[in-house]
Amino acid sequence: MSTARTPFTLAPVSGVRSETVRSANLATILRELHFHGPASRSELVARTGLTRSAIGALVGELVKADLVSEQRAASDGSPGRPSPVAAPIPERNVTLAVDVAVDSLGVAAVGLGGVVLRSERIDRPRERVAVDATIDDIVAMVGRIEAALDPGVRVLGIGVGVVGLVNRTDNSVSIAPNLGWHDVAFGDRLQRALGRKVDVVVSNDADLAALAEVRRGVATGAREVLYVWGEVGVGGGLISRGEPITGAAGFAGEVGHVPVNPDGRPCRCGSTGCWETEIGEGALLERSGRSPDGGRDAVDALLADADAGVPAALDALAVEARWLGIGLAGLVNVMNPSMVVLGGLLGRVFPYVHDEVLAEIDRRALASARRGVVVVSSALAGDAPMLGAAELAFEPVLADPLGTLRKISTRR
Amino acid sequence: MSTARTPFTLAPVSGVRSETVRSANLATILRELHFHGPASRSELVARTGLTRSAIGALVGELVKADLVSEQRAASDGSPGRPSPVAAPIPERNVTLAVDVAVDSLGVAAVGLGGVVLRSERIDRPRERVAVDATIDDIVAMVGRIEAALDPGVRVLGIGVGVVGLVNRTDNSVSIAPNLGWHDVAFGDRLQRALGRKVDVVVSNDADLAALAEVRRGVATGAREVLYVWGEVGVGGGLISRGEPITGAAGFAGEVGHVPVNPDGRPCRCGSTGCWETEIGEGALLERSGRSPDGGRDAVDALLADADAGVPAALDALAVEARWLGIGLAGLVNVMNPSMVVLGGLLGRVFPYVHDEVLAEIDRRALASARRGVVVVSSALAGDAPMLGAAELAFEPVLADPLGTLRKISTRR
DNA sequence: GCAAGTTTGTCATCTTCTGCGACAAACGTC
DNA sequence: GACGTTTGTCGCAGAAGATGACAAACTTGC
């Protein structure tokens, strides 16, 4: 019947039925509780615009599904019948978050509402970074974490952050130079190793850190955010309209490989003059007269020198500031964010070079795009990718609570 | 049936009621007809997943609202009762599109479905670029265009594209260097001059060209698109998830001012080594030994030389290609688009340097992000911004057909 | 300690909108 | 011209939120 048409659909072509309404309203309430914490029914009425009866029925359904509990409000002194407070139940609804970093491995159980219930992080030597060893370690850690959780707990999803380029369409790792991984179907393999039917979603760790900052960090509530994370390599996450920009296959946000100095030094990606070659840990250390692979200890020493006013350290930081500003200016012109968040090494360095970075941005970014941009260091330290992974794993439940629960329970 | 998967919506805190469902379904049908052209009721049933009765009622309402007409289908030889074909009524539902370019002014009436019903473009001398003169000219052109339209026509919205930085939050032009404008409340002033209560929406012309390419040009249906438009200046439009990225205040997409050569030549924006200084018309002409402000004629001559194999022209194009590739590689790493569209001068030059540009992208973009990226020249030539402006103006009607019509008719 | 005022949960009923199924209309085929 | 197929139409059912009346639970004031 259908004459061949564009396989693409411009608008989300899908009819809406009554049950869609229910699902959307349940999702709205659960999101509200997950992101803004416990709220009384009357607060929910005010925030959603729904009526008392509708809220009553909706919250009732969430309670019945064991996602939410209702308790009498602590009297706050105002007149009128007290409104029961609805709160997410973290102990019974968790996601497992995994962070595959360069030299460590983290696993956490995060409860609905964003509470970290248990977490564990292990350093790992070079010989444990292979895919199989990583999966074995994760399985062991997950086992320990789960053993410590409440018996009635449900795992709603598993989110994984990996230092590398992740294909979001199939949860595979395309390439992770720091791990030596290449085209690994990591999501599928981990899911099989865990023996679960719960979905495993994999994403780039910088993207997840950005998500975490927007959900629960310094950028909470901001809708247009540029997150740049730098250590040895430099990555980033872009948030637009409050949601991550993934790009066609999930590779968006690789800001570390924007050419800022096309005749500069070679980058391990094969190009030359990538931003990463100018602001990465190696460049910073080298400029201060240190070995480029001195690691975290060398950075600590450098910053201590800067505190002490050692000229070599200050000079190195000044150059770092210039290149940091140059790259940020370009990205500000491209994205017009309301906030720029710097994580990792960059977040540590930024307080030392605050003025110089902003000056460089002023010099190079268009006044209109630059106006109102706030630049800050990350607030979430090293756990940001893990928190982001948990949020990613919560997403299906938040989008369609009862439908997702049904799917999980039937599949197990 | 498949509820549109909308990941990551941070609580659009608003309850959904029954009437929202009707509005959403009307919007879905109208979008379908506007973007994919006439469709039989049974086709609409198949595409939306709604039932025959629902489609019947919904289309009936659109017909009653004079947005859509129904006609007997031309018999196509298949058995069964023929399904009436619903089609948008362009003659009765139009938006006015205005394009404020550097040396010309365009106005068009675009009918529902995207048909250009009337259009007019005037060249204008330097002394007519002032704001008042521009508004006077637009008002006169709109008068002429409207006089030629059907009597029963409704103007559903007015969209304006301006060569300059436009603040989308208040429809003002922050700065338009080519016009000498600075902080002009252009939307408000034009609306007053036109004496209309219909909303006037203003946007950057490159952003609108990008929108046009995604809606009705080479990128139709693509969801992640990078559009780069270059003449004297270089601008761009970013499309993610099928929709434009505006940034915090509407200034996103200023790719022309990404620093690609920080120690390069000064840019009129005050920075140095902006991409624009390397790939703009001026740089291209200068490298070929011509005056940097030779304009379109000089570019024609340059391309003719290239056709003839003149070394100076070929060399200039090779350098242009290199810098074009460098900048695109960076943006591909940042956005991971599925398609890159080049417009204006860049669209004309690209066929000459296709291989060199792609080679430079291969050299500098990460293989993962680069894979599957198609680079093409724009298909819509000079009218792209105007088509985009029309689409922008249609948006409210497409999002809530009856509600917007009601608003328009009561305010007039 | 009790009445009044205020706020909010609950319940029955109404409204809106879509799904479902039966029937009829309009087409092609044999 | 009978038959099969496809599709519009119409009545009815089901789902979900709105409305409004009433009751419950709290504070305040005396």
Side-chain angles (χ1 to χ4, degrees):
Chain A
M1 88 183 59
S2 59
T3 47
R5 253 176 214 285
T6 12
F8 302 110
T9 47
L10 275 182
V13 179
S14 69
V16 176
R17 300 191 306 243
S18 337
E19 68 179 36
T20 322
V21 173
R22 189 54 162 257
S23 159
N25 284 336
L26 285 170
T28 301
I29 294 176
L30 195 58
R31 276 220 156 79
E32 189 68 31
L33 299 177
H34 178 64
F35 290 122
H36 302 315
S40 72
R41 282 207 210 172
S42 58
E43 281 173 323
L44 291 175
V45 167
R47 280 188 221 160
T48 62
L50 294 168
T51 60
R52 295 202 294 257
S53 36
I55 291 290
L58 291 164
V59 171
E61 247 177 300
L62 293 176
V63 169
K64 213 168 58 188
D66 251 342
L67 289 164
V68 165
S69 68
E70 275 195 308
Q71 287 160 352
R72 308 174 56 121
S75 141
D76 67 337
S78 63
R81 175 173 178 173
S83 194
V85 171
I89 311 181
E91 315 84 41
R92 309 210 48 177
N93 303 281
V94 308
T95 57
L96 297 177
V98 179
D99 179 25
V100 180
V102 179
D103 44 17
S104 76
L105 208 54
V107 173
V110 179
L112 191 63
V115 203
V116 178
L117 299 174
R118 299 269 160 185
S119 92
E120 187 178 333
R121 183 171 286 276
I122 58 169
D123 292 333
R124 50 182 193 157
R126 284 277 158 209
E127 61 270 20
R128 295 296 294 168
V129 299
V131 179
D132 286 324
T134 304
I135 288 181
D136 288 348
D137 288 347
I138 292 174
V139 170
M141 292 170 80
V142 165
R144 288 195 293 273
I145 294 267
E146 279 202 295
L149 294 177
D150 277 20
V153 73
R154 288 180 294 203
V155 176
L156 303 177
I158 300 173
V160 183
V162 177
V163 222
L165 293 177
V166 177
N167 189 328
R168 290 290 307 275
T169 59
D170 61 2
N171 295 305
S172 71
V173 176
S174 285
I175 185 163
N178 296 314
L179 303 173
W181 295 5
H182 185 72
D183 279 331
V184 179
F186 194 68
D188 292 346
R189 287 175 64 176
L190 181 59
Q191 182 156 5
R192 232 173 301 136
L194 286 169
R196 298 296 184 77
K197 294 287 175 266
V198 187
D199 283 337
V200 173
V201 284
V202 185
S203 186
N204 172 274
D205 58 349
D207 290 350
L208 292 178
L211 183 61
E213 292 291 351
V214 170
R215 293 281 191 268
R216 313 203 171 268
V218 282
T220 306
R223 293 179 58 78
E224 307 284 329
V225 178
L226 168 62
Y227 177 88
V228 182
W229 176 88
E231 297 284 355
V232 177
V234 173
L238 313 175
I239 307 284
S240 178
R241 297 179 224 116
E243 296 170 25
I245 293 179
T246 61
F251 302 117
E254 285 301 328
V255 296
H257 300 280
V258 172
V260 292
N261 188 14
D263 300 316
R265 47 192 125 181
C267 180
R268 54 194 179 143
C269 78
S271 179
T272 51
C274 293
W275 197 21
E276 174 173 312
T277 65
E278 300 293 349
I279 65 168
E281 191 178 282
L284 175 63
L285 290 176
E286 199 169 358
R287 287 197 190 104
S288 74
R290 289 177 171 79
S291 159
D293 29 48
R296 177 166 264 273
D297 294 341
V299 172
D300 289 341
L302 168 60
L303 293 181
D305 278 4
D307 282 328
V310 176
L314 296 177
D315 290 350
L317 285 175
V319 178
E320 175 88 359
R322 172 166 182 256
W323 285 107
L324 185 52
I326 288 173
L328 288 180
L331 291 169
V332 164
N333 284 335
V334 171
M335 299 294 305
N336 180 215
S338 61
M339 185 174 263
V340 175
V341 182
L342 301 174
L345 169 67
L346 298 177
R348 295 184 66 205
V349 164
F350 180 60
Y352 291 81
V353 293
H354 178 275
D355 295 346
E356 293 88 335
V357 171
L358 293 190
E360 194 67 40
I361 293 178
D362 282 336
R363 191 153 35 236
R364 296 187 177 272
L366 298 170
S368 304
R370 191 248 176 280
R371 189 170 303 136
V373 180
V374 181
V375 185
V376 295
S377 289
S378 159
L380 295 173
D383 277 345
M386 224 153 55
L387 291 181
E391 292 302 332
L392 190 67
F394 271 122
E395 197 47 41
V397 183
L398 297 177
D400 178 12
L402 302 187
T404 307
L405 283 185
R406 215 174 302 128
K407 215 159 75 178
I408 290 173
S409 64
T410 56
R411 284 203 303 189
R412 197 170 256 177
Chain B
M1 170 158 306
S2 58
T3 45
R5 196 177 63 96
T6 345
F8 301 117
T9 15
L10 221 180
V13 180
S14 67
V16 178
R17 300 191 304 254
S18 317
E19 67 180 37
T20 321
V21 173
R22 188 53 162 254
S23 160
N25 283 336
L26 285 170
T28 300
I29 294 177
L30 195 58
R31 275 220 157 80
E32 188 67 31
L33 298 177
H34 178 64
F35 289 124
H36 299 316
S40 72
R41 281 207 212 173
S42 57
E43 280 173 324
L44 291 175
V45 167
R47 282 189 221 160
T48 61
L50 295 168
T51 60
R52 295 203 294 255
S53 37
I55 292 290
L58 292 164
V59 171
E61 245 177 301
L62 293 176
V63 169
K64 212 167 60 187
D66 250 343
L67 288 166
V68 165
S69 68
E70 275 195 307
Q71 287 160 352
R72 310 174 55 122
S75 142
D76 67 335
S78 64
R81 177 173 175 171
S83 194
V85 171
I89 311 184
E91 316 85 39
R92 309 209 48 177
N93 304 282
V94 307
T95 56
L96 297 177
V98 179
D99 178 25
V100 181
V102 180
D103 43 19
S104 75
L105 207 55
V107 173
V110 178
L112 191 64
V115 202
V116 178
L117 298 174
R118 298 269 160 184
S119 94
E120 188 179 330
R121 184 171 286 276
I122 58 169
D123 291 334
R124 50 183 192 157
R126 285 279 157 205
E127 62 270 20
R128 298 294 295 169
V129 298
V131 179
D132 288 324
T134 303
I135 288 181
D136 288 348
D137 288 348
I138 292 174
V139 171
M141 291 170 80
V142 165
R144 288 196 291 273
I145 294 266
E146 279 203 296
L149 294 176
D150 277 19
V153 75
R154 287 180 295 202
V155 176
L156 302 178
I158 300 174
V160 184
V162 177
V163 221
L165 293 176
V166 176
N167 188 326
R168 291 290 305 277
T169 60
D170 61 1
N171 295 304
S172 72
V173 176
S174 285
I175 186 162
N178 295 315
L179 304 173
W181 296 6
H182 186 70
D183 279 331
V184 178
F186 194 68
D188 293 347
R189 287 174 65 176
L190 181 59
Q191 183 157 5
R192 233 174 298 136
L194 285 169
R196 298 297 186 76
K197 292 287 175 269
V198 187
D199 284 337
V200 173
V201 284
V202 186
S203 185
N204 173 273
D205 57 350
D207 289 349
L208 292 177
L211 183 61
E213 292 291 350
V214 170
R215 293 280 191 267
R216 311 201 172 269
V218 282
T220 304
R223 293 178 59 77
E224 307 284 329
V225 177
L226 167 62
Y227 177 88
V228 182
W229 175 88
E231 298 282 357
V232 176
V234 173
L238 313 175
I239 306 286
S240 179
R241 295 176 226 116
E243 288 172 33
I245 293 179
T246 62
F251 302 119
E254 286 301 328
V255 295
H257 300 281
V258 172
V260 293
N261 189 12
D263 300 316
R265 44 192 127 179
C267 179
R268 52 195 181 143
C269 78
S271 178
T272 51
C274 294
W275 198 21
E276 174 173 313
T277 66
E278 300 292 350
I279 64 166
E281 191 179 281
L284 175 64
L285 290 176
E286 201 169 357
R287 288 196 188 104
S288 73
R290 292 178 169 79
S291 159
D293 28 49
R296 178 167 264 273
D297 294 340
V299 173
D300 289 341
L302 168 60
L303 294 182
D305 278 4
D307 282 327
V310 177
L314 296 177
D315 289 349
L317 285 175
V319 178
E320 176 87 1
R322 174 168 180 255
W323 286 108
L324 186 52
I326 288 173
L328 288 180
L331 291 170
V332 165
N333 283 337
V334 172
M335 300 295 306
N336 180 215
S338 61
M339 186 174 264
V340 174
V341 182
L342 300 174
L345 169 67
L346 298 176
R348 295 183 66 204
V349 165
F350 179 60
Y352 290 80
V353 294
H354 177 275
D355 294 347
E356 292 88 334
V357 171
L358 293 191
E360 194 66 43
I361 293 178
D362 282 336
R363 190 151 36 231
R364 295 187 177 271
L366 298 170
S368 304
R370 191 248 177 280
R371 191 170 303 136
V373 180
V374 181
V375 185
V376 294
S377 290
S378 158
L380 296 173
D383 276 345
M386 223 152 58
L387 291 180
E391 292 302 332
L392 191 66
F394 271 122
E395 198 45 44
V397 183
L398 296 176
D400 177 11
L402 303 187
T404 307
L405 283 184
R406 215 174 301 127
K407 215 160 75 178
I408 290 174
S409 63
T410 54
R411 285 201 303 188
R412 197 170 252 175

